[in-house]
Amino acid sequence: MKKSIIFSIALSLGAFSCSDDFLTVTPETALSSVTFFKTESDFIQAVNSAYVPLRTLHNINSHLLTEQHSDNARYVRNVLFGATENQSNLADFNVPTANGITTNGNVLTAYRQNYLMIARANQVLALIDAATIPDATKKNVKGQALFLRALGYLDLVRYFNKAPLQLTPVGNRSEAAAALGTADQLYAQIIKDATDAVGLLPAKSVQEAGRATSGAARALLANVYMIQKKWADAETQLRAIVSSGEYSLMPNYADAFSNSTSNKNTRESVFEVQYLEGSAGLNGNFLYSMLPFPIAANELVTITGTSNPQPLSGEGNNIPTPDLIEAYETGDKRKDATIGYITLGGALHANKTFPYIKKYARPHALHNNHGMNWPIYRYSEVLLFLAEALIEQNKLADAAPFLNQVRTRAGLANTTATTQAALRDAVYQERRVELAFESKRLHDLVRTGRLETVIKAYGDRVKADKFRYYFPSEGFVPSDAFTNITPYYGLPAAEADLSPNF
């Protein structure tokens, strides 16, 4: 971890400037550690830079680690392309792991990008209290930094169940290799940071679009309490979000998701990662990693609408599984909004028609360059979390209306579940289809204790009928598939080489 954290600190003086515009780019050469952190603008620039790793984390990384590494999504095997172990190992649950260490590159990216965000937040937090800047700005910037540090550690603890706990800027190599914090220690720090952020951050209606808010901090805090099964504490935070009047469901489910250049940070959005279509370097291209391959230009353009479509080859990732498709009830409007179909003339498969993730497939101008935002927390998840927290406290009558709000928007009748067990299953089912492909599924299976049972049964289905799960005739299910069904990833080998604590 030494190199990555030191590199994080070098970058923590940031690539972004935003006195007026959250997405304005400033060259790093214009900034100096000697003269920086003096003015209000300096601190705004610095906290802006702490948001940047979120673009990398959610441009492909989180999809692969949480959705493809679940029963929601798979890859389309292309035997002409060769091995793509970093992706296929995730879908096949055979990630190479020894002594708690893995060489998987996607795991390494998640680790390093979260620490980059944490390092940048730490730099702000180390200096903000002594800064001579307006009090309102100081509170806002500090709250954002605390939220982002909490969000980074939440990712790390959910992926690894342990991680180095760094709360101050690292000045030299000897300070970089911190001891591993336990899950309890990490969660305690996340709760502290998120709680402090709630008190510092403004509400969504008065905060600059795209920045963390008090509602976002409450959602993160409630997320932790749900993991810890502190149902009453979660209820308190979730009810505060509901009663704030800051959020509501979009009438149409499809409108809950950003277009490339519009419909961003809507009333349903509690927190989302900001992307910007164009040449500024702030764009995303995650849609292109969520398609079945090989896909010809004339096929791709029917999804993207670009003026310069290009053919794509290799193996397609995050392809909806038959299991997820069959999870939707008859009449559920979310199914057509979430999943589309495309026929690929060049596919090696007998069935050349494949599903793809439609909820993010929004028209944009140029190939491999789009601006759809990525949802981290939506109001529908707040409602489902609240329903679940109430069910676990046996407040069944109170829980059903929150569950039914989500179902009504989907075009479904109220739930018929009445017992605690049945309502619990109803919420689990609703979370799966409502939040499909929003990097939630793996975490849900782990926190509810269902991972091994669900994935073992899913693995048996894949091995029994490989064609149904997008293997061509020449393809094969690896002999070690579904042999590493564990709730947490091994720590990255590249970081273990740098730290004596792994």
Side-chain angles (χ1 to χ4, degrees):
M1 190 175 76
K2 296 174 184 173
K3 288 183 180 177
S4 63
I5 287 187
I6 291 172
F7 181 63
S8 299
I9 293 168
L11 290 180
S12 71
L13 297 180
F16 284 78
S17 169
C18 181
S19 57
D20 297 312
D21 184 352
F22 188 22
L23 297 174
T24 300
V25 178
T26 296
E28 289 186 75
T29 53
L31 306 176
S32 165
S33 60
V34 175
T35 60
F36 204 66
F37 291 112
K38 302 292 185 184
T39 68
E40 180 180 22
S41 177
D42 291 343
F43 279 96
I44 293 173
Q45 282 183 267
V47 80
N48 287 352
S49 77
Y51 285 87
V52 176
L54 289 172
R55 292 197 186 99
T56 299
L57 286 167
H58 296 286
N59 199 35
I60 180 171
N61 189 254
S62 69
H63 329 165
L64 295 173
L65 292 177
T66 60
E67 295 288 345
Q68 191 155 298
H69 194 59
S70 80
D71 56 342
N72 271 5
R74 284 196 62 75
Y75 62 102
V76 172
R77 186 72 169 119
N78 182 351
V79 294
L80 299 180
F81 186 69
T84 55
E85 291 184 354
N86 278 324
Q87 287 78 28
S88 61
N89 284 165
L90 296 170
D92 290 334
F93 283 82
N94 57 355
V95 177
T97 307
N99 300 317
I101 302 297
T102 182
T103 57
N104 187 278
N106 291 296
V107 171
L108 177 62
T109 296
Y111 183 95
R112 285 185 169 171
Q113 290 297 314
N114 275 298
Y115 273 112
L116 178 56
M117 181 164 65
I118 289 165
R120 292 177 174 183
N122 282 343
Q123 193 71 54
V124 172
L125 292 168
L127 300 171
I128 188 70
D129 286 340
T132 306
I133 62 176
D135 188 59
T137 300
K138 181 181 291 190
K139 285 182 177 180
N140 198 338
V141 168
K142 183 175 182 179
Q144 291 176 65
L146 287 166
F147 171 83
L148 292 169
R149 185 167 72 179
L151 188 62
Y153 275 121
L154 179 59
D155 239 18
L156 291 166
V157 71
R158 289 189 297 185
Y159 283 141
F160 305 111
N161 204 41
K162 57 188 175 183
L165 188 57
Q166 292 278 11
L167 301 177
T168 57
V170 176
N172 54 62
R173 285 190 170 225
S174 64
E175 297 173 1
L180 291 175
T182 65
D184 286 345
Q185 290 171 327
L186 293 169
Y187 280 124
Q189 187 61 47
I190 295 166
I191 290 170
K192 182 180 185 305
D193 283 353
T195 301
D196 289 346
V198 168
L200 292 167
L201 288 168
K204 178 175 180 171
S205 58
V206 294
Q207 177 67 300
E208 185 179 358
R211 294 186 182 277
T213 65
S214 57
R218 287 189 187 279
L220 193 159
L221 187 55
N223 198 159
V224 172
Y225 289 142
M226 296 296 291
I227 294 169
Q228 295 182 321
K229 303 188 187 315
K230 296 178 179 177
W231 311 118
D233 291 333
E235 179 189 351
T236 297
Q237 298 303 322
L238 296 162
R239 283 195 183 275
I241 297 172
V242 171
S243 64
S244 71
E246 295 280 330
Y247 306 95
S248 61
L249 296 179
M250 299 293 282
N252 179 12
Y253 178 77
D255 291 339
F257 306 97
S258 162
N259 295 326
S260 188
T261 58
S262 63
N263 195 49
K264 299 187 175 194
N265 307 301
T266 65
R267 283 187 62 82
E268 184 161 343
S269 172
V270 179
F271 184 70
E272 60 190 54
V273 180
Q274 309 294 302
Y275 292 93
L276 183 66
E277 179 182 340
S279 60
L282 310 177
N283 62 286
N285 61 3
F286 53 79
L287 173 60
Y288 291 82
S289 62
M290 291 182 167
L291 297 171
F293 293 168
I295 185 169
N298 66 305
E299 296 163 347
L300 178 62
V301 73
T302 64
I303 296 174
T304 64
T306 57
S307 61
N308 64 333
Q310 306 294 318
L312 300 172
S313 62
E315 289 185 347
N317 295 299
N318 270 56
I319 310 307
T321 61
D323 309 62
L324 184 276
I325 294 169
E326 292 168 1
Y328 290 90
E329 297 174 52
T330 301
D332 192 332
K333 296 177 182 178
R334 293 170 295 194
K335 184 176 183 179
D336 287 342
T338 303
I339 298 169
Y341 291 86
I342 189 165
T343 300
L344 306 182
L348 301 174
H349 304 65
N351 182 357
K352 297 181 183 297
T353 299
F354 299 90
Y356 68 91
I357 301 171
K358 185 179 175 184
K359 71 193 321 180
Y360 305 119
R362 305 303 171 99
H364 48 281
L366 298 176
H367 178 79
N368 211 36
N369 182 318
H370 58 64
M372 289 84 78
N373 286 355
W374 182 264
I376 301 291
Y377 291 114
R378 290 192 293 113
Y379 185 60
S380 61
E381 183 170 20
V382 170
L383 296 174
L384 292 174
F385 265 155
L386 181 51
E388 184 179 347
L390 292 167
I391 289 165
E392 295 301 339
Q393 296 176 80
N394 212 29
K395 300 177 180 179
L396 307 186
D398 290 343
F402 297 110
L403 172 61
N404 288 332
Q405 281 188 55
V406 178
R407 290 180 59 83
T408 298
R409 198 259 301 266
L412 300 175
N414 288 347
T415 182
T416 58
T418 55
T419 67
Q420 185 182 46
L423 278 165
R424 181 184 293 127
D425 288 343
V427 168
Y428 292 168
Q429 153 70 14
E430 210 62 37
R431 283 186 64 86
R432 186 180 189 188
V433 293
E434 172 71 24
L435 305 172
F437 313 120
E438 296 179 40
S439 301
K440 305 288 182 180
R441 180 62 173 170
L442 174 67
H443 298 319
D444 274 354
L445 291 175
V446 171
R447 74 175 179 83
T448 58
R450 296 175 293 147
L451 179 71
E452 185 172 0
T453 300
V454 168
I455 299 302
K456 185 180 184 305
Y458 164 65
D460 290 343
R461 293 191 293 274
V462 173
K463 290 182 284 188
D465 189 352
K466 68 173 187 176
F467 304 111
R468 191 165 181 257
Y469 292 89
Y470 317 128
F471 286 93
S473 297
E474 297 83 358
F476 62 92
V477 181
S479 59
D480 63 347
F482 300 97
T483 60
N484 188 18
I485 305 173
T486 55
Y488 305 108
Y489 290 108
L491 291 163
E495 292 294 329
D497 291 341
L498 302 170
S499 174
N501 299 312
F502 282 18

